[in-house]
Amino acid sequence: MADIDYETKYFFPVKPIPRLSCRDPEALRLISSEKPVVLTDAKLCDSALKWNLDYLAQHIGPAKHVVFASQCDEFKYYDETKISQYCPNFKRPTQRLEITFQEFANKLTQWNPGQEKLYLQQGLNSSVGTVIAADFVSFNWPWLNAQTKTQGWGTLTSNLLLVAMAGNVTPVHYDEQQNLFCQLVGHKRCILFSPDHHDRLYPHPVYHPHDRQSQADIFKPDFDKFPGLRQISAQSAVLGPGDVLYIPIYWWHHISSLHNHPYTVSINFWYKGASTDMVIYPLLDRQKVAIMRNIEKMIMDALKKPTEVDQFFQSLILGRYT
Ligand SMILES: O=C(O)C(=O)C[C@H](CCCc1ccccc1)C(=O)O
Ligand SMILES: [Zn+2]
């Protein structure tokens, strides 16, 4: 698969994410400097390369799994807990279901155009069957543990099992965790933007259910509403089975499942970032984003009304911090 599938037209410059061996010192240098890299031979989840729909349906067990349903290809994440507090009229863009993997697999194989798209997004837990657990145990933990120790990352918080239908899109967002993203079945196109894009990708307010998601659509740009979009630039890669993409903490990413296979299977490894108690100046871009998030949370606790925030910050800085 080409580094960047050129049939897709972008209005912004895109460079390929380097594809390197996990033994290449350059790969480790990129990870240490929190830059994206595709590791082509990490053999991180080789035991899961056989996790196709039938195998998972047969072995993952009878537990309910979280599946999102969408009337379009987009699956924009929303935080359920933030709806009741500040956005009671929020319209959920997807419906959250809890069904067995077998039910999900049946819906996928019987899907017809015009029906809603489905996306299984389930944290792996102890409810999985023994066969899947055995595959999980034989992941390349020695390499993984050595890697995360070297980088000083925190604990592994979760492994999200992702089974998407071809064409599914996860719109532009960032996460507050380090991420080793393993592609198992099918191909995914990943478009990444550095954390300094905070003022060019217009995240929803921190109190909003779409916190951490971009308000803008990079494939239907509204340059009047979001003029900063004219200054964005990305790195991109198409991931195939066995590829591991390092998505650095706070890096924006857009992920879509290509049509060369009816579905895709991925698993991610989310780690807490290193503790930044040693603050070294100049601050990293991601540290500035973390500070902005804390200020937003404080101001919302204080003002309670989102409509007063703009005026508050104008009064604070206009004519004073130029
Ligand atoms: O691994 C990652 O970080 C991704 O974004 C992978 C992405 C699905 C993520 C769904 C999601 C987004 C935000 C919060 C919780 C869950 C995909 O592969 O489509
Ligand atoms: Zn993400």
Side-chain angles (χ1 to χ4, degrees), residues 77 119 121 162 170 173 175 179 181 188 253 255 268 270:
Y77 172 80
Y119 201 156
Q121 300 181 352
L162 300 159
T170 296
H173 71 280
D175 302 300
N179 184 351
F181 184 92
K188 271 181 165 174
H253 44 287
I255 300 185
N268 77 11
W270 266 326

Side-chain angles (χ1 to χ4, degrees), residues 174 197-199 201-205 210 212-215 252:
Y174 69 86
H197 277 75
H198 189 275
D199 56 359
L201 286 172
Y202 303 88
H204 287 269
H210 283 324
R212 294 184 292 111
Q213 322 294 306
S214 171
Q215 298 177 67
W252 299 85

Side-chain angles (χ1 to χ4, degrees), residues 22-23 31 37-49 51 134-148 153 156 158-159 178-184 240-247 266-271:
C22 67
R23 279 178 294 283
I31 297 175
V37 58
V38 176
L39 303 173
T40 56
D41 59 356
K43 295 196 172 317
L44 193 50
C45 308
D46 275 9
S47 54
L49 293 176
W51 285 11
D135 293 338
F136 184 85
V137 164
S138 34
F139 286 174
N140 190 345
W141 295 107
W143 180 84
L144 209 55
N145 298 338
Q147 197 43 246
T148 50
W153 292 355
L156 172 67
S158 58
N159 293 95
Q178 302 287 7
N179 184 351
L180 288 170
F181 184 92
C182 303
Q183 189 54 23
L184 302 172
D243 286 342
V244 177
L245 168 65
Y246 168 48
I247 306 178
S266 323
I267 182 166
N268 77 11
F269 291 71
W270 266 326
Y271 286 91

Side-chain angles (χ1 to χ4, degrees), residues 56-124:
L56 288 170
Q58 198 181 345
H59 297 298
I60 205 160
K64 301 276 187 193
H65 286 71
V66 174
V67 174
F68 291 97
S70 175
Q71 299 302 324
C72 69
D73 279 347
E74 300 225 331
F75 291 80
K76 187 169 180 178
Y77 172 80
Y78 55 91
D79 181 339
E80 195 71 44
T81 63
K82 296 188 175 177
I83 296 177
S84 50
Q85 199 175 5
Y86 288 109
C87 306
N89 309 325
F90 176 73
K91 192 174 170 307
R92 290 171 180 76
T94 62
Q95 189 196 0
R96 185 180 186 279
L97 311 168
E98 291 201 7
I99 56 178
T100 67
F101 196 98
Q102 188 59 61
E103 286 167 325
F104 168 71
N106 296 342
K107 285 173 179 284
L108 231 60
T109 36
Q110 292 150 25
W111 184 84
N112 291 305
Q115 288 177 335
E116 53 188 9
K117 301 296 291 298
L118 298 173
Y119 201 156
L120 183 140
Q121 300 181 352
Q122 173 64 50
L124 281 184

